[in-house]
Amino acid sequence: MDYKSQINIKEVPGHVAIIMDGNGRWAKQHNKPRIFGHKNGVFSVRSVVEGAGEIGLKYLTLYAFSTENWKRPKIEVAALMQLLVATISNEVSALNKNNVRLLTIGDLSSLPGNCEKELQKAMDKTKGNTGLSLILALSYSSKTEIINAVKKIASDVVENALTIEDINDSVFNSYLDTAVIEDPQLLIRTSGEYRLSNFLLWQIAYSELYFTDKFWPDFTKEDLFKAIVDYQGRERRFGLTSEQVGK
Ligand code: FPP
């Protein structure tokens, strides 16, 4: 079935966030080492970024590496970092060709030097692009992001740059890594797991959640379109009644 043609282009969500999961299990299914799953996961990243551009998405956030992922076997972490460097440097011209701007959230300084450098270079080269913003969550922890925001707010209060009364939803939001990015309307997780895994906990307060059993390397832009069609069929009430939202 062609899901793309079923999408109401006028009501495409501004921001879709994805927890890419199942690379390891996909590799196991194919009797291959885990890194084979990650390598194939890159094809899915490419397909989904392409699809996001086709339907005019503004923001696409991909959970590529959590702070908890540092605890994985050293060999897998090193291979993932290498894959990231290689992918970024290979893809930067395609990003530019497609008007995609690369952004990151998370603690870039904890990544290996070459990885951080490659990412900074790619962000710099794509900063003028006005199409899709592709946000990679790298060495990211939502709880850490929230704690860092609280620390900065506390320090601004101590320095009289902010009063306690000033603190509200939008001020708090402005202290997060995602300050200038609208909250995701849709969060997708692959691989049949029903968890949030410390991802964008503040930002997804009212996101629609979509889970699919597909492992990430099997996920393509067509699956993204399917998730968006599903999202567009939902009624978003934000705590109101059906009658109030007028559907
Ligand atoms: C989750 O599968 C996937 C990751 C932790 C890494 C995602 C990385 C990529 C898709 C490749 C590089 C990405 C970019 C953006 C260039 P898992 O290993 O947790 O799978 P499992 O749950 O089956 O073990």
Side-chain angles (χ1 to χ4, degrees):
M1 197 188 305
D2 170 27
Y3 288 102
K4 191 176 171 187
S5 62
Q6 296 176 47
I7 293 176
N8 175 356
I9 284 296
K10 287 195 198 118
E11 289 192 21
V12 165
H15 184 179
V16 175
I18 307 183
I19 301 176
M20 310 181 285
D21 195 15
N23 293 352
R25 280 163 286 164
W26 185 90
K28 201 167 178 186
Q29 254 183 4
H30 291 79
N31 291 316
K32 299 275 190 191
R34 295 178 56 82
I35 190 64
F36 183 71
H38 298 313
K39 282 185 178 157
N40 277 276
V42 174
F43 296 121
S44 299
V45 170
R46 197 177 292 148
S47 173
V48 163
V49 170
E50 214 175 83
E54 285 172 25
I55 56 169
L57 217 70
K58 257 170 80 187
Y59 297 104
L60 174 69
T61 301
L62 301 178
Y63 202 4
F65 197 84
S66 71
T67 49
E68 290 80 12
N69 287 151
W70 289 115
K71 295 184 206 128
R72 289 190 174 198
K74 269 200 179 90
I75 184 158
E76 181 176 347
V77 172
L80 261 171
M81 292 300 145
Q82 208 185 351
L83 183 62
L84 196 67
V85 173
T87 307
I88 300 299
S89 62
N90 285 341
E91 298 293 332
V92 74
S93 60
L95 294 178
N96 271 330
K97 213 165 101 194
N98 292 288
N99 200 18
V100 178
R101 176 174 65 144
L102 184 73
L103 300 171
T104 58
I105 54 173
D107 180 16
L108 277 202
S109 71
S110 65
L111 300 175
N114 63 334
C115 199
E116 191 188 356
K117 224 162 53 201
E118 208 54 60
L119 279 159
Q120 292 291 3
K121 222 162 64 187
M123 284 193 279
D124 205 48
K125 282 189 180 159
T126 61
K127 70 174 181 231
N129 293 340
T130 54
L132 172 73
S133 290
L134 170 64
I135 303 146
L136 296 183
L138 289 162
S139 194
Y140 176 82
S141 150
S142 182
K143 283 187 171 183
T144 303
E145 181 190 27
I146 290 170
I147 290 168
N148 288 340
V150 170
K151 284 182 180 166
K152 279 185 248 159
I153 288 173
S155 126
D156 280 355
V157 169
V158 169
E159 285 166 20
N160 294 320
L162 191 72
T163 69
I164 289 177
E165 291 67 37
D166 285 337
I167 304 167
N168 58 27
D169 189 324
S170 79
V171 167
F172 189 83
N173 203 58
S174 71
Y175 282 81
L176 295 171
D177 290 3
T178 50
V180 294
I181 301 161
E182 66 188 276
D183 288 343
Q185 291 81 3
L186 174 63
L187 172 77
I188 299 171
R189 181 172 190 143
T190 61
S191 91
E193 306 287 354
Y194 301 89
R195 281 191 293 279
L196 298 175
S197 300
N198 202 2
F199 187 47
L200 301 176
L201 300 178
W202 167 275
Q203 297 88 339
I204 59 164
Y206 264 106
S207 303
E208 295 297 323
L209 308 182
Y210 180 91
F211 298 98
T212 167
D213 284 343
K214 278 202 177 181
F215 292 142
W216 178 250
D218 288 329
F219 194 90
T220 64
K221 59 176 156 183
E222 196 55 24
D223 296 295
L224 171 70
F225 299 152
K226 184 178 175 190
I228 291 175
V229 169
D230 183 279
Y231 160 85
Q232 290 187 330
R234 298 186 191 184
E235 179 184 73
R236 305 190 73 208
R237 292 195 294 275
F238 301 98
L240 304 180
T241 66
S242 272
E243 291 69 27
Q244 284 175 304
V245 293
K247 287 219 175 155

